[in-house]
């Protein structure tokens, strides 16, 4: 259907959102007032706009014109100018002043404000200083509108255009015309491909130096998204030549220029190239870890053996558990690693009791909210996310953040214990180590056989492989854990053995299905069989996991199928289509990137806070199309209002990739094991998926795929210079 064009004067702004410029307003169109909805920055009553869009019918608000594009004009007629100024568009001008100015200057009013502000002093009550402020405010607004209009032709959203203007001010358009790649270099949320598309439309040459340098940094950024902290130059240069379609000499020159400007770092000895922030974080982690292990150990003010005996009264510690507690008492840093059922929690609880007995303060932390909640419940003590422990602090009007806790204002805890350390990436580990006071002990607990962190780095493995630090590896599975086939099979998988399935009255099952039939079986398990047998809540207690997003049994297809089974359409359920995803009231959703600027309300404490993180799962409570927002209640009782402009940060979460499930625990896990890409058919992915389940695991798919995953112990290579830096004497 072709877009329709309408034009008229804005009479009243019904709703306006400063963040994304979404507005609802009444338009005088052909002598009728109509409701229009869409995104226009800095809209005010009195303006004349030309809109391109479609007529829609809203169930609550009736007929509306939903526009996609717009052209605005400064009001020309005296009445329109008076309405425009009276709306408060220029600070210092309200209705009475607007009447005085328009009575004197008529249709020339806006030209006077723009080009001859000193003439405004002829009006009683307007000093020269006030007139100049009016002129400045008018020009700033006009500059911002010009930036938005200029970027609109390249498909840049109004919200992003406003962000660009806030960053560059009146210079925005000139800077973009001079080098459009400034956008991806300086603006969070604009990637190289977007800047490259804009540059192509502007006719910028493929060999433009700005393009080459941004392309190299983009390639290193892609490497970081794939877990690498660095990348070999021998591989990076030819990749960039292919990516950019230019000569190798252009890439070499861009590479040299980036090094000279300090934007990237090249280590000749290793041939590794780094984005400068990642290089600095790697140096920081290595330096702080070596300082920690090299610091003179302070003997505890108690007899360690007696303290352990008293703290472990009523339980029997294994030899390895005893060694771990003893090491934690004596060493500055202790790494404890082991699979499910090997007693890591018992060790942590014993350390907590010793600390309590001798008046030492302890901080418990984990990388995610769910992991922190599990740790808190297991230890009957407060555990925080690492972000919260370190005092996440958002830099005003930006997507950047810092931490309040560092060497200048360290944590006061005598002992810091971090669980699920396999999920901690390089940046977070750097911040953690900077936050420790000089005589603090650090205890890192985790499972080195799980998938590495989503972010760049393979920190736990790098620390263990360096051979520089005390590592206690737990292998004994305790009797209570042995009763669970989940625990038994996790260890079988980890040792290269096939899982034992379908034992009577056990908790580990396999259902053979072809790829074409697996989706309906999985849906039936979620909607009927597991809830009917175990009284599970399909949304809260059951989680479908997949190795991949793609294919008929990947997360994209399964989410669509499960949405139909678990949350079908209903006349009372509101919906919002965003891209290829249809969101519906009652849907299970996941945040897929860290957003430190989203405010939330804690429904339990009524406290307000900021920040929703990658992996947070919730349920859509309401969709308000009039306000262009969505209410989501997350699992930890945080209520968040999402603007529609933020919906690219959400996905349906009936089915998750195994990578996205890290740090989570679910009562029941259904794992799709249909044939998948060879790079995902690996042992540690299957192991990680199985260890997400607390009570039941059901594998659905191909036994051949399970066998391939168990036999394939290949780990995806992650380039990191941390082990080399840690081994340096």
């Amino acid at each position: 259907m072709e877009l329709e064009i309408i034009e008229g004067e804005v009479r009243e702004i019904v709703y306006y959102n400063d963040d994304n410029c979404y507005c609802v307003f009444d338009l005088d169109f052909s002598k009728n007032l109509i409701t229009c909805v869409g995104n226009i920055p800095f809209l005010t009553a009195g303006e004349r706009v030309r809109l391109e869009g479609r007529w829609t019918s809203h169930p609550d608000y009736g007929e509306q014109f939903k526009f996609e594009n717009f052209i605005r004009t400064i009001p020309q007629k005296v009445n329109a100018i008076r309405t425009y100024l009276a709306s408060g568009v220029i600070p210092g001008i309200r209705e009475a002043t607007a009447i005085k100015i328009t009575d004197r200057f008529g249709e020339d009013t806006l030209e006077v404000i723009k080009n001859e502000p000193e003439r405004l002093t002829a009006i009683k009550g307007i000093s020269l200083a006030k007139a100049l402020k009016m002129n400045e405010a008018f020009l700033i607004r006009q500059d911002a509108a010009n930036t938005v209009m200029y970027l609109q032709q390249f498909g840049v959203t109004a919200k992003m255009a406003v962000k660009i203007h806030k960053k560059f001010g009146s210079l925005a358009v000139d800077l973009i015309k001079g080098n459009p790649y400034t956008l991806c270099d300086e603006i969070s949320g604009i990637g190289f491909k977007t800047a490259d598309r804009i540059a192509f439309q502007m006719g910028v040459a493929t060999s433009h130096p700005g393009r080459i340098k941004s392309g190299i940094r983009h390639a290193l950024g892609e490497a970081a998204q794939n877990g690498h902290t660095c990348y070999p130059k021998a591989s990076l240069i030819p990749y960039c030549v292919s990516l950019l379609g230019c000569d190798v000499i252009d890439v070499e020159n861009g590479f040299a220029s980036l090094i000279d400007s300090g934007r990237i770092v090249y280590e000749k000895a290793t041939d590794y190239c780094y984005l400068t922030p990642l290089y600095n974080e790697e140096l920081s982690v290595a330096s702080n870890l070596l300082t920690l292990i090299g610091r003179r150990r302070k003997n505890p003010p108690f007899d360690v053996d007696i303290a352990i005996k008293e703290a472990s009264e009523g339980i029997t510690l294994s030899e390895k558990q005893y060694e771990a507690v003893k090491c934690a008492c004596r060493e500055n840093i202790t790494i404890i690693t082991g699979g499910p059922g090997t007693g890591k929690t018992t060790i942590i609880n014993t350390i907590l009791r010793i600390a309590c007995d001798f008046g030492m303060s302890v901080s418990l932390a984990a990388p995610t909210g769910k992991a922190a909640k599990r740790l808190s419940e297991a230890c009957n003590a407060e555990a925080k996310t690492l972000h919260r422990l370190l005092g996440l602090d958002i830099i005003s009007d930006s997507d950047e953040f810092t931490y309040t806790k560092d060497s200048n204002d360290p944590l006061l805890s005598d002992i810091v214990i971090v669980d699920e350390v396999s999920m901690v990436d390089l940046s977070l580990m750097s911040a953690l180590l900077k936050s420790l006071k000089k005589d603090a002990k650090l205890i890192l607990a985790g499972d080195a056989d799980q998938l590495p962190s989503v972010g760049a780095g393979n920190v736990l493995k790098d620390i263990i492989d360096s051979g520089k630090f005390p590592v206690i590896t737990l292998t004994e599975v305790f009797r209570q854990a042995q009763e669970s086939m989940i625990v038994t099979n996790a260890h079988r998988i980890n040792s290269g053995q096939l899982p034992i399935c379908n034992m009577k009255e056990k908790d580990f099952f396999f259902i053979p299905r072809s790829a074409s039939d697996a989706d309906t079986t999985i849906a039936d398990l979620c909607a009927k069989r597991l809830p009917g047998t175990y009284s599970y809540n399909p949304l809260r207690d059951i989680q479908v996991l997949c190795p991949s997003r793609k294919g008929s049994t990947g997360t994209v297809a399964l989410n669509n199928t499960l949405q139909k089974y678990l949350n079908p359409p209903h006349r009372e359920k509101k919906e919002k289509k965003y891209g290829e995803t249809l969101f519906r009231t009652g849907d299970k959703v996941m945040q897929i990137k860290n957003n430190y600027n989203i405010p939330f309300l804690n429904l339990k404490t009524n406290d307000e806070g900021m920040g929703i993180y990658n992996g947070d799962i919730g349920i859509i409570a309401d969709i308000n199309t009039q306000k262009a927002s969505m209410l989501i209640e997350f699992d930890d009782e945080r209520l968040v209002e999402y603007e529609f402009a933020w919906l690219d940060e959400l996905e349906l979460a009936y089915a998750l990739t195994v990578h996205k499930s890290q740090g989570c625990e679910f009562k029941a896990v259904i794992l799709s094991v249909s044939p998948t890409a060879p790079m995902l058919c690996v042992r540690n992915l299957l192991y990680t998926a199985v260890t997400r389940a607390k009570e039941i695991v059901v594998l659905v798919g191909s036994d051949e795929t399970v066998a391939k995953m168990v036999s394939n112990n290949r780990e995806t290579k992650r380039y990191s210079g941390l082990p080399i830096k840690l081994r340096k004497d």
Side-chain angles (χ1 to χ4, degrees):
M1 189 196 311
E2 289 188 7
L3 297 178
E4 187 176 337
I5 296 173
I6 65 172
E7 187 172 348
E9 183 182 311
V10 178
R11 283 294 182 87
E12 182 181 357
I13 312 295
V14 178
Y15 173 80
Y16 185 82
N17 185 302
D18 287 322
D19 288 332
N20 58 15
C21 307
Y22 179 87
C23 48
V24 180
F25 58 91
D26 291 334
L27 186 77
D28 188 347
F29 172 63
S30 298
K31 298 184 180 180
N32 291 311
L33 280 182
I34 63 168
T35 301
C36 300
V37 295
N39 299 78
I40 301 185
F42 317 117
L43 185 69
T44 55
E47 288 188 276
R48 191 166 185 83
V49 291
R50 188 169 182 254
L51 308 174
E52 193 176 34
R54 296 182 178 88
W55 292 98
T56 62
S57 181
H58 190 279
D60 296 325
Y61 304 105
E63 192 174 50
Q64 299 177 335
F65 189 77
K66 189 175 183 178
F67 61 90
E68 297 178 15
N69 302 306
F70 67 89
I71 296 174
R72 70 203 303 167
T73 59
I74 297 294
Q76 303 293 323
K77 295 181 179 179
V78 173
N79 285 340
I81 294 171
R82 184 173 294 163
T83 302
Y84 175 71
L85 293 177
S87 69
V89 63
I90 300 175
I93 301 179
R94 290 294 179 184
E95 186 173 2
T97 308
I99 292 171
K100 292 178 185 177
I101 296 174
T102 50
D103 280 349
R104 186 171 186 91
F105 299 110
E107 293 180 357
D108 296 331
T109 294
L110 297 180
E111 279 299 311
V112 170
I113 294 173
K114 179 181 177 182
N115 297 314
E116 302 176 277
E118 64 278 358
R119 291 178 62 189
L120 295 171
T121 59
I123 296 171
K124 187 176 180 181
I126 300 181
S127 65
L128 180 59
K130 189 173 182 179
L132 293 175
K133 281 186 178 180
M134 292 176 181
N135 166 260
E136 181 184 17
F138 183 80
L139 292 177
I140 288 172
R141 189 180 184 84
Q142 196 168 56
D143 283 339
N146 289 341
T147 300
V148 174
M149 291 294 291
Y150 176 74
L151 290 170
Q152 184 179 259
Q153 65 184 307
F154 303 118
V156 178
T157 65
K159 180 182 179 182
M160 184 58 71
V162 171
K163 183 177 180 179
I164 292 166
H165 183 266
K166 284 182 178 179
K167 175 75 174 180
F168 299 125
S170 61
L171 301 174
V173 173
D174 289 338
L175 282 172
I176 295 164
K177 286 180 177 178
N179 178 13
Y181 297 96
T182 302
L183 291 173
C184 60
D185 290 341
E186 301 290 340
I187 304 294
S188 172
I190 293 190
F192 172 77
K193 291 180 180 178
T194 300
D196 206 34
R197 174 176 53 78
I198 293 171
F200 177 78
Q201 291 176 262
M202 292 170 59
V204 175
T206 57
S207 59
H208 187 286
R211 179 173 187 265
I212 304 299
K213 288 186 282 188
S214 292
I216 293 169
R217 295 182 74 245
H218 167 70
L220 285 172
E222 277 188 327
Q225 288 178 351
N226 289 322
H228 306 290
T229 59
C230 51
Y231 212 71
K233 182 184 176 185
S235 302
L236 179 68
I237 297 297
Y239 175 77
C240 290
V241 169
S242 173
L243 172 74
L244 298 168
C246 58
D247 295 333
V248 67
I249 188 65
D250 293 325
V251 175
E252 290 280 8
N253 288 338
F255 188 83
S257 177
L258 285 168
I259 292 172
D260 289 342
S261 65
R263 303 297 292 274
I264 67 172
V265 174
Y266 175 58
E267 280 188 337
K268 192 171 182 180
T270 59
D271 193 46
Y272 284 163
C273 310
Y274 294 80
L275 290 170
T276 301
L278 283 174
Y279 178 76
N280 291 337
E281 285 171 344
E282 193 172 276
L283 277 180
S284 174
V285 168
S287 173
N288 283 317
L289 281 172
L290 291 174
T291 298
L292 195 61
I293 196 65
R295 195 179 70 219
R296 186 180 176 198
R297 285 173 295 175
K298 189 177 177 183
N299 290 325
F302 52 82
D303 185 297
V304 172
D305 291 313
I306 293 175
I308 296 174
K309 183 178 179 181
E310 291 177 350
S312 60
E313 188 176 353
I315 59 173
T316 302
L317 297 178
S318 70
E319 185 179 335
K320 280 289 184 180
Q321 286 178 315
Y322 194 94
E323 182 186 347
V325 177
K326 197 168 186 176
C327 183
C329 290
R330 290 182 170 173
E331 300 289 344
N332 299 327
I333 178 171
T334 303
I335 294 96
I336 303 166
T337 181
T342 56
K344 294 191 295 293
T345 302
T346 300
I347 293 169
I348 293 172
N349 275 322
T350 305
I351 294 168
L352 287 173
R353 281 193 285 271
I354 292 172
C356 180
D357 289 343
F358 293 95
M360 294 182 287
S361 57
V362 181
S363 285
L364 287 174
T368 66
K370 284 206 169 188
K373 185 178 180 182
R374 284 204 342 259
L375 181 62
S376 179
E377 290 170 350
C379 298
N380 195 28
E382 183 185 23
K384 299 178 180 179
T385 63
L386 279 168
H387 288 97
R388 186 176 163 215
L389 178 70
L390 300 176
L392 181 75
D393 187 28
I394 309 304
I395 298 173
S396 180
D397 294 326
S398 78
D399 293 326
E400 298 177 7
F401 66 92
T402 185
Y403 294 105
T404 59
K405 294 300 177 183
D406 56 20
S407 56
N408 295 318
D409 182 19
L411 296 168
L412 299 178
S413 306
D414 300 312
I415 303 170
V416 175
I417 303 174
V418 183
D419 196 16
E420 296 279 8
V421 181
S422 62
M423 296 178 62
V424 177
D425 61 21
L426 183 73
S427 297
L428 195 51
M429 181 58 74
S430 175
L432 171 65
L433 293 170
K434 288 176 185 175
S435 75
L436 301 177
K437 66 177 184 176
K438 287 185 179 179
D439 58 348
K441 291 179 179 292
L442 177 64
I443 299 165
L444 303 176
D447 188 344
D449 294 314
Q450 286 192 26
L451 291 170
S453 59
V454 174
N458 201 353
V459 181
L460 178 59
K461 187 174 186 301
D462 287 348
I463 293 173
I464 293 171
D465 289 351
S466 73
K468 287 275 190 176
F469 306 92
V471 178
I472 312 300
T473 303
L474 306 171
T475 55
E476 180 184 348
V477 179
F478 291 92
R479 187 190 306 173
Q480 187 177 358
Q482 287 175 350
E483 295 174 4
S484 165
M485 292 308 298
I486 296 173
V487 173
T488 299
N489 282 331
H491 288 276
R492 287 180 63 86
I493 291 165
N494 205 28
S495 63
Q497 297 176 281
L498 288 172
I500 300 168
C501 306
N502 301 336
M503 290 181 67
K504 191 175 181 181
E505 296 183 0
K506 290 294 184 179
D507 54 13
F508 203 103
F509 305 94
F510 173 72
I511 302 176
R513 288 291 183 272
S514 66
S516 59
D517 295 331
D519 59 343
T520 53
T521 298
I522 290 170
D524 187 54
L525 283 165
C526 289
K528 297 178 181 177
R529 292 171 65 179
L530 292 182
T533 305
Y534 301 98
S535 300
Y536 287 152
N537 180 312
L539 299 186
R540 302 287 186 186
D541 299 331
I542 304 170
Q543 184 60 58
V544 175
L545 300 180
C546 312
S548 172
R549 290 175 53 83
K550 300 177 181 177
S552 61
T553 54
T555 58
V556 175
L558 277 175
N559 270 317
N560 290 332
T561 299
L562 291 167
Q563 185 187 48
K564 292 172 186 174
Y565 274 77
L566 301 178
N567 191 32
H570 189 278
R571 59 187 178 84
E572 293 184 1
K573 293 181 180 179
K574 300 173 185 176
E575 297 180 347
K576 169 63 182 176
K577 184 80 181 288
Y578 189 90
E580 296 300 312
T581 304
L582 177 67
F583 293 105
R584 182 178 294 134
T585 304
D587 273 338
K588 183 178 182 179
V589 293
M590 172 182 265
Q591 175 78 9
I592 59 170
K593 63 179 286 190
N594 290 338
N595 187 327
Y596 307 103
N597 289 307
I598 297 183
F600 66 78
L601 174 68
N602 188 311
L603 295 174
K604 188 184 294 184
T605 64
N606 213 33
D607 293 332
E608 295 181 351
M610 297 286 286
I612 301 295
Y613 304 111
N614 188 357
D616 286 347
I617 296 173
I619 305 293
I620 298 175
D622 187 35
I623 298 173
N624 189 325
T625 53
Q626 190 72 5
K627 288 181 63 179
S629 67
M630 183 184 291
L631 276 179
I632 299 174
E633 184 177 337
F634 284 92
D635 286 351
D636 53 2
E637 299 188 64
R638 285 174 299 166
L639 186 67
V640 181
E641 183 175 13
Y642 274 73
E643 309 296 345
F644 283 172
W646 294 338
L647 295 188
D648 60 341
E649 299 180 6
L650 287 174
E651 287 183 351
L652 294 177
Y654 299 102
L656 304 176
T657 62
V658 178
H659 283 85
K660 285 290 186 185
S661 73
Q662 284 178 268
C664 297
E665 186 177 68
F666 311 97
K667 286 186 177 181
V669 164
I670 302 169
L671 178 64
S672 167
V673 287
S674 295
T676 189
M679 65 181 295
L680 296 171
C681 209
V682 292
R683 184 185 299 171
N684 66 346
L685 189 141
L686 178 60
Y687 174 76
T688 301
V690 167
T691 56
R692 299 307 91 207
K694 189 176 181 182
E695 297 178 5
I696 286 178
V697 169
V698 184
L699 308 182
V700 179
S702 160
D703 55 0
E704 186 180 345
T705 299
V706 175
K708 283 181 179 178
M709 296 177 88
V710 170
S711 64
N712 185 1
N713 200 27
R714 176 184 58 84
E715 291 185 20
T716 303
K717 170 72 176 176
R718 283 198 171 194
Y719 288 105
S720 165
L722 183 58
I724 297 170
K725 292 178 176 65
L726 289 174
R727 291 190 191 108
K728 284 185 178 179
D729 294 322

